Structure formats: C-alpha cells, structure tokens
Amino acid sequence: MNTKEVIAQYDKYVMSTYTRIPDVIVKGKGLKVWDLNGREYLDFFPGWAVSGLGHCHPKVVNAVKNYIKKIIHVPNNYYNMLQGKLAQKIIENSFEGKAFFCNSGAEANEGAIKLARSYGNAKGGRYEIITMENAFHGRTLATITATGQPKYQKGFEPLPLGFKSVAFNDINAVRGAITDKTTAVMIEPIQGEGGINVAGEDYIKALRDLCDKKDLILIFDEVQTGMGRTGKMFCFEHYGVTPDVMTLAKSLGGGLPIGAMIASKKFADVLKPGMHASTFGGSPVVCSAALAVFEAIQKEGLLSNTVKMAGYLIERLNELKKKKAVIKEIRGKGLMIGVELTIPGKDIVEKCFKEGLLINCTHDKVLRIMPGMIVTKKQIDKAVQILEKAM
Ligand SMILES: *Cc1c(COP(=O)(O)O)cnc(C)c1O
C-alpha cells in the first residue's frame, strides 16, 4: 500500500476523530522516524511525550521481546512477576504509598477521581474536586469535566457533577472555591496541552499547606511531566512538596500503553477489593517495558542529559528569540519547552514538517518542543536551524 491508499482506508474505516498530517510513519529509532516513502524526520515531539527515551529504545525492545515469549496477559485475579516490582520501583522513586495500574492517562485520572470521591464521601458527603482552567486530564466524561476547557466538553452534556474549575497559579482562587463538599484539588504541575504553563513554587507550597489544613487530597497529574521529562524523575520534586496522589502514563511504558495512579500511605487503602479494576492493567509485558524505562533513565544518566540538553536548547532558543520578533516567550522545565509566538503556530509546524522536523503547536500560539531524553547537541542545532528557517 502507498500513502494515498493507507489514507483512503482510514477515511473509509477509521472514525475521523483526529486531524492528521497526511503521512504514514513506519519506523522509529532514537529521535528519528521514517515515513512510508523513506523520508526521515527529526522527532522533537515524540508521541505527545510517550517516547520519552526516543523511539524503540533497545532496553525497552529487549524487555518486551524477552517477556512476551513467556506470557502476554495475566488477569488481575492472579499475581504476576512484574506488577509488584514496578510498583516498588515507582514508590522508591517518588513517595511512600501504593500503585494502581491501568492503560492510559485518562484512566489513571479516573482512578484518582474515584479515590478522592470515595475518601470524601466516607467523610460526610464530600465529592467536589477543584481543577484548573486550561488543564488537560483526558477524554473520558469525568476527565473532560476535570479538563477546564469548554472546547473538550461541548456537546457531551450533561457532564458529571462535582468539578469546579479555577484560575491556574492563583491560590486565592482555590481558597475561594473550597466548600464543605470539597474533597480534592487536581493539578498538572506544568500544564502541557494548556500551553506549557509552569506552576509557581510558592503557589504549589501554599496549595500543599491549604490541602493539609482542609484535609483535601492533592492530586498531581504527572502524565506528561513524569518519568524524567522535566529533568527530575517526577516534576513534584522541583517544588519540595509531595502530592497525595500522582498519576502517570505517557512515557512510563517507553511507548507501550500503561497508566498508573500512585497514592501516598494515608490514601493507599481507600480503594478496597472490588471498588476499582482494569482488565489489562499491570500486565507483565507492559510492566517489563516500564521497568526498562526506569533502568534506562537511571543507568544511562538520562536525567543529567535532560538537564544539560535543556540548558543548551533554551540557550539556542533565546538566541533565536533575539533574531525573530515572532517569539514572545520561552518557558518550561527540562525538556518540556513552550515557545509562545505573537502569531498562530500552525504554519511554522507545517514548515518544520516539510523541512524534516516534528514539533507541535498547542493553544494556537505555543510551539511545544519536547525531544526525547537522549537528545544530543547536534540534534538540537539541527532542530533550531530548521525552526529558524521556518520562522
Ligand atoms: C495526555 C494527558 C492525559 C490523557 O492521557 P491519555 O493516555 O490520552 O488518556 C492526561 N493528563 C495529561 C497531563 C496529559 O498530558
């Protein structure tokens, strides 16, 4: 099949829920991908942050290859060899508590929402969750409601009750939204889809204090920021506070579908047998991939490479900003970088694509640049060169 035929097949048989670039990707290695015509691209937005180690990291490929021959799926009414091991790995690298495994970010957040409601309801009918404007928490009914953006909600009413959306980075807005029905506050420490908006340190510390005082569960959605993306294993580490619940997905499985909800000791046993489940959650093949992701990050020094390369990339982008008046602001943490423009970014993304560089634009004017943690200076130079040309 050629590109045209693949697209025709999609048009006929696949629901048109996505705006797609008319190209078929067939191969990936590191930060490079190739399309059906053999054209090579430098991928600075690998799968919405899914391929955080780059494409087909050898440790992930080997882990999957080795395990898939033994058994592919073990149902959760039995034990498997790797789910506990992965939970231990996540806990040892985050905070004391327990993990629940599912298959995606939205599901991890659904789990967090259920945990928060279960805890609050048991304390006397508390079920409200405060979320942030411009958040993104997924596409299920509850998570589009938690996602404080009308464009994701329109047409799907009635939405579940019990969510309140307030301004991001504004502690008084949170304070003002708390009622005797509030059970949790849910936030991305850096809003990804919302335009790479970084939560302030004082704000997060105040949020932690407020949640402690009011017995509210502080939920961090680290689906995009987790697993080293920001230069620390988890973004909460930048703030010197720990959340009560943390959700993960995206790069956790090195490209394979896995989601996780982590709850601190105090909340780890809120969900009791029968209250929550996932048929595929924590199956050994995806757990083996996630364990390989941890091993790669830790044994290959990828956190320090992320910090180093992020510094270099920001430096190069700041140079570009001096030359290009269309750049309004550069922000982010680690290799989660937003370049806010004075104009819509769509054309620049398209021009970059034509020149062989994959990036993303969110919120109309923010270019999202998130290369894998294995990125090199040479690749950054090439990407910035293409970006300059596109601008
Ligand atoms: C992508 C994303 C989600 C949703 O994850 P899915 O795997 O698509 O369900 C949730 N939260 C954040 C912060 C995300 O970036």
Side-chain angles (χ1 to χ4, degrees):
M1 282 209 292
N2 63 31
T3 302
K4 233 173 120 182
E5 288 161 345
V6 172
I7 291 172
Q9 191 174 48
Y10 266 60
D11 286 344
K12 186 149 186 214
Y13 296 109
V14 180
M15 286 191 195
S16 53
T17 59
Y18 301 95
T19 313
R20 295 180 206 270
I21 294 159
D23 200 12
V24 184
I25 304 295
V26 293
K27 203 173 101 175
K29 181 110 196 83
L31 294 202
K32 288 179 183 168
V33 294
W34 289 266
D35 72 10
L36 193 50
N37 302 319
R39 190 149 191 256
E40 183 183 304
Y41 297 92
L42 184 57
D43 194 354
F44 268 46
F45 193 68
W48 259 258
V50 163
S51 303
L53 305 184
H55 295 274
C56 295
H57 190 285
K59 280 197 168 72
V60 175
V61 171
N62 280 329
V64 170
K65 240 164 64 185
N66 290 337
Y67 216 90
I68 208 160
K69 289 180 275 187
K70 285 186 203 157
I71 189 160
I72 297 176
H73 179 250
V74 177
N76 275 310
N77 54 333
Y78 297 92
Y79 293 84
N80 75 56
M81 289 298 287
L82 299 185
Q83 192 175 136
K85 196 172 171 184
L86 176 60
Q88 183 178 355
K89 197 77 181 167
I90 296 172
I91 296 299
E92 284 173 356
N93 283 281
S94 56
F95 47 87
E96 225 188 315
K98 289 182 181 174
F100 170 85
F101 292 104
C102 50
N103 317 286
S104 67
E107 271 179 280
N109 287 330
E110 283 274 345
I113 291 165
K114 281 179 73 178
L115 184 150
R117 284 195 174 187
S118 175
Y119 177 79
N121 277 321
K123 289 225 157 185
R126 284 167 33 187
Y127 57 86
E128 277 176 6
I129 299 175
I130 297 170
T131 67
M132 303 302 148
E133 285 164 14
N134 284 327
F136 185 82
H137 297 298
R139 299 294 199 124
T140 62
L141 265 184
T143 56
I144 59 167
T145 313
T147 291
Q149 302 190 53
K151 71 175 178 196
Y152 293 116
Q153 302 168 338
K154 211 169 159 270
F156 298 112
E157 300 84 359
L159 298 171
L161 298 171
F163 293 90
K164 256 190 199 170
S165 172
V166 302
F168 185 69
N169 257 334
D170 180 351
I171 193 67
N172 286 326
V174 178
R175 223 175 256 132
I178 296 173
T179 69
D180 58 0
K181 295 269 176 278
T182 310
T183 184
V185 178
M186 187 166 176
I187 185 170
E188 302 153 82
I190 302 175
Q191 292 187 327
E193 196 278 345
I196 313 291
N197 307 314
V198 183
E201 201 173 319
D202 292 346
Y203 170 67
I204 290 291
K205 286 202 162 93
L207 202 52
R208 178 69 276 177
D209 281 347
L210 189 60
C211 287
D212 285 339
K213 264 192 213 115
K214 302 271 182 184
D215 187 28
L216 306 179
I217 303 177
L218 181 56
I219 303 168
F220 273 18
D221 178 343
E222 292 229 25
V223 168
Q224 200 167 135
T225 54
M227 302 308 289
R229 171 57 53 194
T230 67
K232 295 203 185 274
M233 191 64 89
F234 302 108
C235 190
F236 76 80
E237 297 170 59
H238 289 286
Y239 294 93
V241 301
T242 48
D244 300 305
V245 171
M246 172 173 77
T247 55
L248 301 173
K250 296 250 156 76
S251 66
L252 175 59
L256 271 79
I258 180 170
M261 175 196 35
I262 320 305
S264 69
K265 232 173 148 186
K266 183 176 172 193
F267 302 100
D269 295 311
V270 168
L271 296 173
K272 304 242 168 358
M275 287 174 71
H276 197 46
S278 167
T279 299
F280 290 112
S283 88
V285 174
V286 291
C287 287
S288 74
L291 283 160
V293 169
F294 271 102
E295 193 184 303
I297 291 173
Q298 290 169 331
K299 293 219 171 121
E300 293 170 15
L302 296 185
L303 288 175
S304 67
N305 192 60
T306 296
V307 173
K308 244 187 265 156
M309 290 305 121
Y312 184 65
L313 179 50
I314 291 280
E315 194 187 303
R316 295 298 322 269
L317 288 172
N318 275 324
E319 280 167 29
L320 190 61
K321 183 169 180 274
K322 284 191 197 126
K323 291 192 243 171
K324 300 285 172 187
V326 290
I327 300 180
K328 192 174 157 198
E329 189 184 54
I330 296 158
R331 55 179 182 255
K333 262 190 210 300
L335 288 170
M336 185 166 181
I337 296 169
V339 177
E340 186 170 343
L341 306 171
T342 56
I343 53 165
K346 196 170 161 275
D347 287 353
I348 290 174
V349 170
E350 259 166 45
K351 279 186 189 151
C352 285
F353 174 77
K354 287 201 179 107
E355 295 291 328
L357 173 70
L358 308 184
I359 56 167
N360 168 263
C361 176
T362 188
H363 267 240
D364 192 37
K365 289 180 178 165
V366 183
L367 300 178
R368 232 186 328 178
I369 300 175
M370 299 174 64
M373 298 168 78
I374 56 166
V375 69
T376 63
K377 274 191 175 175
K378 217 172 130 196
Q379 289 167 328
I380 288 172
D381 287 340
K382 189 171 171 200
V384 174
Q385 190 194 337
I386 293 174
L387 205 52
E388 177 167 3
K389 196 171 165 198
M391 282 173 175

